[in-house]
Structures are given as C-alpha cells and as structure tokens.
C-alpha cells in the first residue's frame, strides 16, 4: 500500500523575518517535493502601520480660517469630531447618524494630521480654550470647547496622533524594507504595476505646473500689493495741500462746519450772512408760529437748504420750497451745532459756569457781562444778534407757546459744550440751560441796546 504524504503545515514567521513558502505536490508516480523561497520587498510608499482610533467622537466648536494658505472668514460651527487612523473627521451630527445619511460616494470632511502643527492660541479668537491645527497643505482649523478638560483631552490626543504619523512617515521614508509572504509571480506583477503607476504619476507635469502657478501667482499678488502701496504713498506725498487747492479755487470752504472766525473773515462781516438771513426771515413770518425752534422741520428739506448754502448759491428764503418756517429754524440750529468750536468758546466754558453759580443777582449780571465783552468779536456780535432775536420770540410767548425755559432747553446744548466731556453730562446740561435762560432774561443788561 502506497503511503501518501501530507503537505507540511504552513507556519507564519514573525514580523520582519523572511517568509518561506513550502509547496508540497502529490502525483501518481514520481512524487516530488519542491521547495521555493521567495523574498518580496513591497512598495515603500505603502504605510505599514495603522493608527488606531484615539477618540470615538464628541461635539466641539470648529472654524476653518485658512484653505491652502488663503485666509477664510471665521465661522464657528458645532461638529461631531472623530479622531481615527491619524485623521480627524468632522460630521454635522454623531458618526452613526452621519454615516446613515451620507450619500454614496461622499466622504466626511477630514484633516490629515501627518506633518501637521498643533498649538494653543489666544490671538485667533476671543473665545477661551482654543487650539489651532495647521496642515501641510496650508489649511488651518480652530477647535474649541467651553470645558477645558474636554478640549485638553482632544489637544493631547491629536498631538499624539501627529507625533505618531510623523514618526511613521519618517520610518517609511528611511528605506527600511519589510518582508511579506506571497507568491513570487503575484508580487512581481504587482510591483511592476505599482512602478508603472508611479512612472505614470511622475510623467504628468500638470501637478508641477499647478504648484508653480500657485507660487508664481502668490508672488505676483504680493508684488502687486506692494506696488499699489508705493503708488498710494507717492500720490499722497505729491497731493497738494488744502490751502493750495483753496487758493486755486478748486475747493471752496463750506458754511456749515466752518469755524466762526474763518467764516466771518471770508465774508467780511462779524455775523455770518446765513444767520442774519434766518433771523430776518423768522422775525418776518415766524414769531407767532406754534413751538418755534422747538418743533423740528423736515430733515431732507433742511439738508437741501444746507447744500445750497454750502454751494454759495443765491438763497431766497421767500421761495415756496422754504415755506415751512421750521425748516429755516432747523437749519439755523444745525449751523450752530456743527461749529467746530461753539458760539461760547471752549476756553470760556468753565468761566460761564462759575459765573452762573453766583447767588447775588447784580454780581452775576456783571460777571456774565464781563465775560461776554471778552469774547472774540464774531462770537460777541453773533451772540448779541441771536439773544435779542430770541428775546423777541419770548415776547410772543402767548402765541408761540415758547417760554424762557423752553428756549434755553433748545439752545443750551446748541450754543455751548465743554471741549472735553470729563464731567457729568447731566450737570453740564443743567448749567448750559441756566446760562442761556439767565442771559436771555437779562439780555438788555448784559448786551446793551441792540443798535449799539
């Protein structure tokens, strides 16, 4: 009876050892054993080490601030984050729900941690507990959680994954070969096909061209920015001064917002013409108007009047478009409010406040009278014209329902305010109103007769 020999048992070698394949074949006659040894070196680019899942998943706040080196607008969103095999995956909901709803062929957003840089940051966001991940491709992500223990756990886990992936990548690039067990012809054919793929990849210059294009584009883009900055600097340095433009007549000074002394010098008067026109028109047809100076006019019409005055066009306040007297009074109040320095100059503010605190009536009048005569002439004459006008408004209080207190509330903060508002605004407003009301009542004593 012929003995049939069984093929020997196959024993797998430990990792890194030479794998030996023993092939046993049986035939009817001339049984023959053949032994072949094969040693195959796999593709060095194939990763030999798989990283295990470090963290199963948790909701964190995520923001992508850069893509390929290009800055993006920071937009915080809540994402289900999973750390798996050296990659960070982002889902809108938990992984199980996301995979169930994921369309075929689609992949979740992921970050390859190989060669990435991770660091805590407080400059990229005002939120607390934020760290930044910067990938090799230039993408930048921010991760954040209000719970420090949670975000610290993720920071440490991602840091370990980055270190492992970097060390694994260095070992695979160092040329260390790993011996695997396989059929010789199969491995050779696979190596041939892999080398063909590598050559095919190397033969495609599109990737190199695209990279060079990006580099050239970024370099030219920065050069263009520098060129724009240089041209702007030259333009600003060569730009003529405001005084030169005014002397050439290219820019005309406006009436609104112009310093009172400058405006009077330009017009050759001590009271601005616009103030004189408004006062004359109000006394002509508005002294008995209900709520004169208290009621606001149409703002768009007031702005239209202001534009015409600033353009120094011929102004006729009798025109039908200025029929509403409250438009004229509104424009007059706007003129005083927009003065760079109020009608009561800044350096006189504290002195007027101290004068109004004097309890004795005659001393108070004399103190205010002395201050008024110390004012610059345009301020003094304009103030005198305005207060005599307001006194005439007050004489018609039965018709226009405007009391001295009502007028002072309107004109107190309009005619005077401190240069530096370091004190209490409410207290300053009380003094402003008291000063205007007292000077209005004692107008004849303080300013003297109107004609003089």
């Amino acid at each position: 009876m012929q003995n049939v020999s069984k093929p020997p048992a196959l024993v797998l070698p430990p990792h890194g050892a030479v794998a030996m394949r023993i092939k046993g074949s049986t035939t009817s006659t001339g049984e023959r054993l053949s032994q072949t040894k094969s040693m195959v070196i796999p593709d060095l680019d194939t990763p030999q080490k798989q990283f295990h899942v470090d963290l199963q998943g948790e909701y964190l706040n995520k923001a992508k601030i850069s893509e390929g080196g290009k800055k993006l607008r920071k937009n915080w969103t809540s994402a289900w984050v999973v750390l798996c095999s050296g990659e960070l995956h982002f889902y809108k909901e938990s992984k199980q729900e996301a995979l169930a709803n994921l369309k075929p062929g689609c992949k979740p957003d992921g970050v390859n941690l190989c060669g990435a840089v991770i660091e805590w940051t407080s400059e990229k966001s005002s939120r607390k507990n934020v760290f930044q991940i910067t990938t090799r491709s230039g993408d930048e992500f921010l991760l954040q959680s209000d719970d420090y223990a949670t975000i610290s756990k993720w920071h440490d886990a991602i840091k370990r994954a980055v270190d492992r992936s970097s060390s694994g990548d260095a070992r695979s690039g160092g040329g260390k070969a790993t011996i695997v067990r396989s059929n010789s012809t199969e491995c050779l054919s696979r190596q041939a096909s892999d080398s063909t793929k590598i050559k095919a990849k190397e033969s495609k210059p599109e990737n190199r061209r695209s990279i060079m294009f990006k580099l050239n584009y970024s370099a030219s883009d920065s050069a263009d920015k520098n060129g724009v900055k240089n041209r702007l600097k030259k333009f600003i340095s060569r730009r003529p001064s405001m005084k030169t433009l005014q002397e050439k007549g290219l820019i005309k000074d406006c009436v609104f917002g112009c310093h009172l002394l400058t405006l009077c010098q330009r017009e050759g008067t001590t009271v601005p013409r616009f103030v004189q026109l408004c006062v004359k028109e109000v006394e002509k047809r508005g002294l008995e108007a209900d709520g004169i100076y208290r009621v606001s006019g149409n703002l768009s019409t007031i702005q239209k009047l202001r534009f015409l005055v600033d353009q120094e066009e011929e102004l006729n306040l009798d025109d039908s478009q200025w029929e509403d007297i409250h438009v004229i009074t509104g424009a007059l109040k706007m003129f005083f409010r927009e003065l760079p320095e109020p009608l009561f100059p800044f350096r006189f503010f504290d002195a007027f406040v101290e004068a109004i605190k004097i309890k004795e009536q005659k001393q108070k009048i004399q103190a205010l009278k002395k201050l008024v005569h110390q004012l610059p002439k345009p301020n003094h004459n304009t103030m005198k014209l305005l207060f005599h006008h307001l006194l005439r408004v007050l004489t018609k209080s039965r018709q226009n329902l405007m009391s001295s207190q009502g007028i002072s509330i309107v004109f107190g903060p309009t005619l005077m305010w401190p240069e530096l508002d370091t004190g209490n605004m409410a207290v300053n407003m009380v003094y402003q109103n008291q000063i205007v009301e007292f000077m209005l009542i004692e107008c004849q004593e303080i300013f003297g007769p109107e004609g003089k």
Side-chain angles (χ1 to χ4, degrees):
M1 185 175 180
Q2 186 179 6
N3 293 329
V4 179
S5 62
K6 296 181 180 180
L10 185 64
V11 180
L12 295 178
H15 182 72
V18 176
M20 178 180 291
R21 177 172 56 83
I22 307 297
K23 181 179 179 182
S25 60
T26 58
T27 57
S28 58
T29 60
E31 185 179 28
R32 183 176 59 181
L33 292 176
S34 65
Q35 296 180 354
T36 60
K37 298 178 181 179
S38 65
M39 188 169 63
V40 181
I41 298 177
D43 187 1
L44 296 178
D45 293 335
T46 306
Q48 300 301 320
K49 187 174 180 180
Q50 296 295 329
F51 302 121
H52 298 286
V53 177
D54 292 297
L55 290 175
Q56 292 294 332
E58 199 163 3
Y59 279 108
L60 297 176
N61 296 319
K62 180 204 74 166
K64 189 173 184 179
I65 60 174
S66 178
E67 183 173 0
K70 182 180 180 182
K71 297 297 181 182
L72 301 177
R73 184 177 181 182
K74 182 169 57 182
N75 184 23
W76 287 102
T77 57
S78 180
W80 181 264
V81 185
V82 176
L83 179 60
C84 178
S85 302
E87 288 190 357
L88 207 58
H89 296 283
F90 301 115
Y91 302 89
K92 291 184 179 178
E93 56 259 332
S94 64
K95 185 177 180 181
Q96 290 78 9
E97 297 175 357
L99 292 176
N101 299 329
L102 199 63
K103 295 181 180 179
C106 295
K107 294 182 179 180
D109 294 336
V111 179
N112 190 346
L113 297 177
C114 183
V117 177
I118 176 172
E119 57 184 352
W120 292 102
T121 179
S122 59
E123 298 176 355
K124 299 296 180 70
S125 175
S126 58
R127 297 190 179 195
K128 61 179 182 179
N129 307 331
V130 180
F131 66 84
Q132 177 179 335
I133 302 173
T134 305
T135 66
R136 279 181 174 178
S137 59
D139 295 347
E140 295 180 8
F141 296 86
L142 298 180
L143 290 181
Q144 184 268 346
S145 174
D146 292 334
D147 183 27
Y148 177 76
T150 300
I151 199 65
S152 181
K153 173 184 67 177
W154 278 90
H155 174 274
D156 295 342
I158 295 172
K159 183 72 173 174
R160 288 195 298 269
V162 169
D163 295 340
R164 288 200 305 268
S165 62
S166 300
S167 61
D169 184 59
R171 284 198 302 269
S172 64
K176 183 178 179 181
T178 306
I179 311 303
V180 296
R181 165 181 169 273
S182 176
N183 181 279
S184 301
T185 56
E186 290 177 358
C187 288
L188 288 173
S189 61
R190 184 163 66 248
Q191 277 189 317
S193 62
D194 291 343
S195 62
T196 305
K197 291 179 181 177
I198 294 172
K199 289 180 180 178
K201 289 181 180 178
E202 291 177 352
S203 63
K204 293 182 179 180
E206 290 84 354
N207 295 331
R208 295 178 183 174
R209 283 203 298 267
S210 62
I211 293 172
M212 291 302 297
F213 173 75
K214 288 180 180 178
L215 292 175
N216 292 334
Y217 178 78
S218 61
S220 61
D221 187 42
S222 60
D224 290 342
K225 289 181 180 178
N226 292 332
V228 171
K229 289 180 180 178
N230 292 331
R231 287 196 294 271
L232 283 173
K233 288 179 180 178
K234 290 180 180 178
F235 172 75
I236 293 172
S237 62
R238 294 175 182 174
R239 186 179 61 177
S241 63
M242 183 69 71
K243 185 178 180 180
T244 305
L245 294 174
Q246 290 172 351
E247 290 174 354
K248 292 182 178 180
L250 298 175
I251 292 182
K252 295 182 179 179
D253 285 329
C254 297
V255 174
F256 283 76
C258 182
H259 197 282
L260 187 63
L261 179 61
T262 305
L263 180 60
C264 290
Q265 288 177 346
R266 193 172 75 223
E267 294 180 348
T269 62
T270 56
V271 179
R273 291 173 187 169
F274 178 68
V275 175
Q276 297 180 45
L277 286 173
C278 290
V279 168
K280 183 179 179 181
E281 195 65 26
V282 171
E283 293 184 355
K284 179 180 176 182
R285 56 186 175 95
L287 288 179
E288 297 182 359
D290 186 9
I292 190 70
Y293 286 113
R294 187 185 73 244
V295 177
S296 301
N298 183 274
L299 184 58
S300 62
T301 310
I302 293 173
Q303 292 289 2
K304 185 178 179 181
L305 177 58
R306 170 187 174 166
F307 177 78
L308 292 176
V309 173
D310 281 340
Q311 296 299 314
E312 296 184 356
E313 296 186 12
E314 194 66 30
L315 186 62
N316 180 16
L317 294 180
D318 287 329
D319 195 286
S320 59
Q321 60 182 329
W322 321 122
E323 182 180 0
D324 184 6
I325 195 65
H326 299 300
V327 169
I328 297 175
T329 57
L332 181 61
K333 289 186 292 182
M334 181 180 287
F335 170 83
F336 285 114
R337 281 197 301 268
E338 294 195 2
L339 286 172
E341 187 175 22
L343 189 61
F344 288 75
F346 290 131
R347 63 183 183 276
F348 287 89
F349 182 85
D350 293 333
F352 273 100
V353 171
E354 292 301 320
I356 201 66
K357 291 179 181 179
I358 299 174
K359 294 183 179 180
E360 208 279 320
Q361 182 83 355
K362 290 185 178 180
Q363 291 182 4
K364 186 186 295 186
I365 293 174
Q366 292 300 320
L368 289 172
K369 185 176 181 179
K370 182 178 179 181
L371 287 173
V372 166
H373 285 283
Q374 290 176 359
L375 294 172
K377 197 168 185 179
N379 297 72
H380 175 272
N381 290 0
T382 303
M383 194 180 295
K384 181 178 180 180
L385 174 70
L386 180 63
F387 273 91
H388 276 290
H389 164 66
L390 294 177
L391 185 61
R392 282 189 286 273
V393 171
L394 188 60
T395 58
K396 299 286 184 177
S397 59
R398 288 189 177 182
Q399 291 82 8
N400 56 39
L401 304 178
M402 288 298 292
S403 63
S404 61
Q405 186 178 8
I407 294 174
S408 66
I409 291 174
V410 173
F411 280 95
T414 302
L415 300 181
M416 65 182 306
W417 59 86
E419 185 174 10
L420 299 175
D421 194 10
T422 55
N424 192 322
M425 186 180 296
V427 173
N428 288 337
M429 188 171 292
V430 170
Y431 289 134
Q432 290 163 352
N433 297 349
Q434 287 179 356
I435 291 168
V436 171
E437 184 177 10
F438 187 83
M439 290 179 65
L440 177 60
I441 295 172
E442 302 295 338
C443 179
Q444 296 289 350
E445 288 290 332
I446 294 173
F447 293 100
E450 186 176 6
K452 295 183 180 180

